[in-house]
Amino acid sequence: MAEELFVKGKQDSISGYPIELSEKVFQKVSEGIMITDLSKRILHVNPAFEMVTGFQRDEVIGHSPKILQSGIHGSDFYQKMWAEVNDKGEWQGEIWNRRKNGEIYPEWLNIMAVRDAEGAIRNYCGIFTDLTDRKVAEQELKEMALTDSLTGVSNRYDFSERMKQLLKTSEEYNISHSLLFLDLDRFKQINDSLGHDIGDMLLIEVSKRIRRLIKNKDIIARYGGDEFVIALSAIKHPREAAHLADRIIEALEHPFHLNGEEIYISTSIGISLYPNDGDTTDELLRKADKAMYFSKENGRNQYCFFHDDLQPSSKRLVILESELRKAIEAKTIEMVYQPKVDVRSNRVIGLEALVRWTSEKLGPVSPSEFIPHAESTGLIAPLSEVILERVCEDFIRYDLAKDCGLPVSINISGIHFQQSQFTAVLKQIFEKMNCQPAYFELELTEHTVMNNSHHTAEKLNELKNMGFKISIDDFGTGYSSLSYLHRFPIDFLKIDRSFIKNIHDQKENELIVNAIITMASSLQMEVVAEGAETLEQVQLLQRLGCGIVQGYYYSKPMRPEEIRFFMEEWNIRQEERV
């Protein structure tokens, strides 16, 4: 039948022109052409078809066009396509096919039904154009439109569009994120003194250092000038944003060597949280920007979380620092204590000491505000010493060892721990207060332990030799692995409360907790779960093999003078159970 279409002197039923003219066009056009019979068996193809698909004429004659299918389109796609061809006589659109070498490529395809004099369909004719080059060009244009031309990271428009998609999905699945707004400190001075070429080179290198610190799922964009924004996606705790901010600050503190110049730069970072601080990109950006300026105005080279009390001026910060200094000098810092319960025996086996401070001018101030401020202003060491002394005083005055078992755990600031005199000061305080280290447990965050691990291991061994027990707080937030922690003399792992909060609703959290408990057991470490608030949480943790649980289910943090009464009530309840 295909040969009949090209008999000299006949009219081409497709074009109406003489066959010899149609055949010349058929052979010379750049578009691929394929003709099939009514059963969709290939009768004829032109040279352009062979060039695009890689199939020679003899390899496809008699076969179905399915030989070209890529597998991308489902059966519904082809059913609708052929239904339209038979109904309307034509279909056109973009389709993905496969070349002989297996490469999948896009093409623009036009399929026509060829009818005889009576109007019955005799053949189908497909004419297609390879869109590969066009797609590449479109992608390049798209990338140019969405990418910052200097640094290669996303531009402001692309960041906004990607954030829309991120927040849309997050609302549906209740996922949290953080947004970091970075501004380079004194960048204008570098531009003015060394020239814009050096300034541009610096921005490129800054973006490279930051990109090494973030994951593929996160978004980084140059927002304008020397400003960068980062969307840290799917976080489980705000501490992850703080950890990234610390790493960025540390990465940018190392000198840049550009065109023979050694350049030092720092950055101020503001952090906002989704959904706590807003549910739109603009709102999150605005609040992160406000926090960034607060950080810049109050010392630079640091980060700050947004909170409602942030002022464009440094009034609150000045008051906070002044009041905290007074509290340290007067030793008006107070401690409260939360019991830890061994769920296997249902005994209270220890307490965690938690700091509280009420300022005369500011009222109650959250530790999440004054502890970071103390760390950023250099007050953390004297504050920590006051805390250690107060815990020792309470321990002796209220005989906590007798009432509540051992040990009493104390949270240690990472900055204070890294100071060279930390162990000497700690030893001096406990000797002065006449307290035995064996009665105490020192809690350090996962990040602190993993920072400068060789030096940390030496210091932890020194503390163990002094008699202290060692606990890793907030474990599971992503900084280390159990296989690495075996190098350290660790007694307890405290699973981060973010995993306990939704352990019933999120199967992933249960699996993570179970994995930590199993691996910790193999390394002969005891596991503590903090933040338990319900009986169901406690029972599930017990089934998973967690030995020690802490949280509001058992007790809120209490003043030291309340502990004796709590223990009396606890013991009475245990006797009644028996």
Side-chain angles (χ1 to χ4, degrees):
M1 184 179 294
E3 303 304 325
E4 293 176 1
L5 289 173
F6 296 96
V7 177
K8 185 177 180 180
K10 289 190 176 181
Q11 295 292 306
D12 182 358
S13 59
I14 298 175
S15 65
Y17 289 100
I19 292 294
E20 61 269 22
L21 179 58
S22 295
E23 176 65 11
K24 287 182 180 179
V25 174
F26 187 84
Q27 295 293 330
K28 297 296 184 183
V29 293
S30 60
E31 289 83 2
I33 301 176
M34 175 176 61
I35 298 173
T36 75
D37 60 17
L38 187 59
S39 300
K40 304 187 186 72
R41 295 293 170 181
I42 300 174
L43 302 174
H44 201 46
V45 297
N46 71 340
F49 173 96
E50 296 176 321
M51 184 181 302
V52 172
T53 68
F55 286 101
Q56 297 302 305
R57 181 178 184 278
D58 294 342
E59 294 178 297
V60 296
I61 296 300
H63 289 277
S64 166
K66 290 181 180 179
I67 196 174
L68 300 174
Q69 286 185 6
S70 64
I72 291 178
H73 307 289
S75 57
D76 289 348
F77 173 85
Y78 294 105
Q79 289 173 3
K80 292 178 181 178
M81 180 182 76
W82 285 109
E84 187 170 329
V85 172
N86 292 324
D87 182 43
K88 299 180 180 179
E90 185 178 10
W91 178 91
Q92 61 178 332
E94 186 177 305
I95 188 171
W96 288 80
N97 275 337
R98 187 185 302 272
R99 307 187 206 274
K100 182 181 178 180
N101 64 7
E103 178 188 351
I104 296 174
Y105 70 99
E107 67 178 41
W108 186 262
L109 174 62
N110 189 317
I111 303 176
M112 296 175 291
V114 182
R115 302 180 184 273
D116 59 19
E118 286 75 31
I121 298 176
R122 286 185 60 193
N123 303 88
Y124 296 102
C125 179
I127 304 174
F128 62 89
T129 303
D130 187 349
L131 298 179
T132 301
D133 291 342
R134 185 184 301 179
K135 288 287 185 181
V136 170
E138 288 177 356
Q139 183 62 31
E140 290 176 350
L141 288 172
K142 181 179 179 181
E143 290 179 358
M144 289 175 61
L146 302 178
T147 304
D148 176 60
S149 59
L150 177 64
T151 62
V153 301
S154 294
N155 60 17
R156 182 184 295 203
Y157 173 78
D158 186 44
F159 180 81
S160 178
E161 291 300 306
R162 293 174 68 183
M163 281 295 293
K164 285 180 184 177
Q165 293 300 317
L166 182 66
L167 299 185
K168 182 179 179 180
T169 306
S170 305
E171 183 178 1
E172 182 178 354
Y173 293 100
N174 193 28
I175 302 174
S176 299
H177 311 288
S178 65
L179 193 149
L180 284 68
F181 200 113
L182 289 67
D183 184 88
L184 301 183
D185 299 326
R186 302 182 181 90
F187 178 77
K188 186 176 184 298
Q189 295 178 12
I190 294 173
N191 253 349
D192 292 345
S193 60
L194 300 178
H196 290 277
D197 288 343
I198 294 293
D200 288 348
M201 293 168 63
L202 178 60
L203 290 173
I204 293 170
E205 294 304 313
V206 165
S207 68
K208 288 180 180 178
R209 290 190 185 182
I210 297 174
R211 290 172 79 172
R212 295 190 194 107
L213 301 177
I214 65 174
K215 301 174 183 177
N216 291 333
K217 64 178 182 177
D218 302 324
I219 309 169
I220 176 175
R222 183 184 175 202
Y223 206 66
D226 60 332
E227 296 175 336
F228 293 86
V229 287
I230 299 170
L232 190 60
S233 60
I235 64 170
K236 295 177 180 176
H237 196 285
R239 193 176 296 103
E240 294 177 54
H243 177 58
L244 176 61
D246 274 330
R247 294 178 67 200
I248 292 172
I249 290 170
E250 181 182 359
L252 299 186
E253 284 177 341
H254 298 288
F256 293 84
H257 298 278
L258 304 173
N259 204 25
E261 300 284 350
E262 186 175 74
I263 300 172
Y264 288 85
I265 195 75
S266 62
T267 184
S268 299
I269 304 175
I271 306 173
S272 60
L273 302 172
Y274 170 90
N276 296 24
D277 297 327
D279 55 9
T280 67
T281 304
D282 288 344
E283 191 171 9
L284 293 171
L285 281 168
R286 180 174 59 81
K287 291 183 176 179
D289 183 44
K290 187 174 182 180
M292 181 274 292
Y293 273 107
F294 188 82
S295 176
K296 187 177 286 288
E297 290 176 1
N298 293 282
R300 305 175 186 265
N301 199 33
Q302 60 184 325
Y303 67 85
C304 176
F305 281 90
F306 173 83
H307 57 84
D308 291 334
D309 292 331
L310 278 180
Q311 304 281 345
S313 69
S314 56
K315 181 179 179 181
R316 178 178 174 85
L317 194 63
V318 170
I319 296 174
L320 179 63
E321 183 171 344
S322 174
E323 289 289 284
L324 187 56
R325 287 184 183 276
K326 292 178 183 178
I328 292 171
E329 292 173 4
K331 299 184 178 181
T332 54
I333 300 295
E334 297 180 347
M335 305 305 298
V336 294
Y337 298 85
Q338 188 172 44
K340 294 188 286 188
V341 177
D342 188 322
V343 295
R344 295 158 295 198
S345 61
N346 216 38
R347 291 188 307 109
V348 176
I349 53 87
L351 300 167
E352 179 180 5
L354 302 167
V355 63
R356 297 291 184 265
W357 174 46
T358 300
S359 161
E360 291 185 5
K361 293 184 178 181
L362 300 175
V365 184
S366 169
S368 63
E369 182 181 4
F370 72 79
I371 293 293
H373 179 69
E375 291 179 332
S376 66
T377 56
L379 292 174
I380 191 61
L383 174 61
S384 296
E385 292 170 15
V386 170
I387 291 172
L388 289 165
E389 289 183 4
R390 177 50 58 89
V391 173
C392 289
E393 288 176 0
D394 290 343
F395 185 84
I396 294 173
R397 180 182 303 171
Y398 298 100
D399 201 1
L400 300 185
K402 176 182 178 182
D403 286 339
C404 301
L406 305 175
V408 173
S409 59
I410 310 171
N411 291 281
I412 302 298
S413 161
I415 293 178
H416 190 204
F417 176 79
Q418 297 297 340
Q419 293 183 357
S420 59
Q421 298 300 313
F422 172 76
T423 52
V425 170
L426 190 67
K427 183 178 180 180
Q428 183 180 9
I429 290 173
F430 275 76
E431 288 178 349
K432 182 181 73 172
M433 303 303 296
N434 196 26
C435 278
Q436 296 298 317
Y439 295 159
F440 295 88
E441 173 187 328
L442 304 180
E443 290 193 11
L444 300 108
T445 66
E446 198 174 352
H447 173 51
T448 299
V449 172
M450 299 309 297
N451 186 24
N452 193 356
S453 58
H454 177 72
H455 176 70
T456 297
E458 292 180 352
K459 189 171 290 188
L460 290 180
N461 282 315
E462 187 177 355
L463 293 171
K464 284 288 291 184
N465 291 334
M466 291 168 62
F468 290 104
K469 288 182 169 57
I470 306 297
S471 176
I472 302 301
D473 195 12
D474 301 337
F475 187 80
T477 52
Y479 307 137
S480 62
S481 66
L482 280 167
S483 60
Y484 196 83
L485 289 175
H486 80 277
R487 306 181 187 183
F488 304 112
I490 295 168
D491 300 291
F492 300 93
L493 286 182
K494 296 191 74 173
I495 302 175
D496 186 73
R497 65 180 63 246
S498 62
F499 296 111
I500 309 303
K501 181 179 180 181
N502 298 313
I503 193 170
H504 277 95
D505 301 328
Q506 297 181 8
K507 188 66 176 178
E508 178 186 357
N509 283 3
E510 181 181 339
L511 294 173
I512 292 172
V513 171
N514 185 49
I516 293 174
I517 293 171
T518 302
M519 295 181 68
S521 176
S522 68
L523 294 173
Q524 298 182 333
M525 298 177 188
E526 188 76 82
V527 175
V528 182
E530 59 180 342
E533 298 181 354
T534 67
L535 175 61
E536 290 76 14
Q537 290 172 340
V538 173
Q539 290 174 336
L540 177 55
L541 288 166
Q542 192 171 14
R543 287 197 301 271
L544 293 175
C546 180
I548 302 172
V549 177
Q550 173 185 345
Y552 272 60
Y553 173 72
Y554 291 112
S555 173
K556 64 178 179 58
M558 65 189 87
R559 295 190 300 274
E561 60 268 25
E562 298 175 308
I563 295 174
R564 185 177 298 276
F565 177 75
F566 169 82
M567 288 304 303
E568 291 173 355
E569 291 289 314
W570 181 271
N571 292 331
I572 291 173
R573 289 200 302 270
Q574 301 316 305
E575 291 176 1
E576 291 175 349
R577 288 181 59 186
V578 175

